[in-house]
Amino acid sequence: RPSEGGPDFPSSSYRLGVKPAALHDLYPPSLTLALREALLAFDKRLPGFLSPQALLHGVETRTSSPIRVARDQESLQCLGL
């Protein structure tokens, strides 16, 4: 599915705005699958959690995350996830 928002894209109260994107465009397949399975499992425990009107806000960045990620000085890749 393409990552373009359309007239049916739900509005958000997030004050900085949002940009629509499909998870498979942002994350590697293993993470996309894990998120999909976790959300489906959560919806079984809390029916109605998943909805066409729902928005999943992300991706956390260093400026908005309460944790610090150690990175290699040359490659800037994460050292330990």
Side-chain angles (χ1 to χ4, degrees), residues 1-50:
R1 185 165 69 190
S3 298
E4 299 173 10
D8 296 330
F9 187 73
S11 63
S12 172
S13 61
Y14 182 61
R15 67 179 179 84
L16 299 177
V18 295
K19 181 178 178 183
L23 290 178
H24 64 264
D25 289 344
L26 301 173
Y27 302 116
S30 60
L31 184 54
T32 301
L33 179 61
L35 283 169
R36 180 175 293 145
E37 290 174 350
L39 289 169
L40 289 170
F42 194 78
D43 190 60
K44 287 182 181 178
R45 296 185 77 174
L46 185 64
F49 178 77
L50 296 180

Side-chain angles (χ1 to χ4, degrees), residues 60-66:
E60 286 288 335
T61 67
R62 192 170 107 178
T63 58
S64 64
S65 177

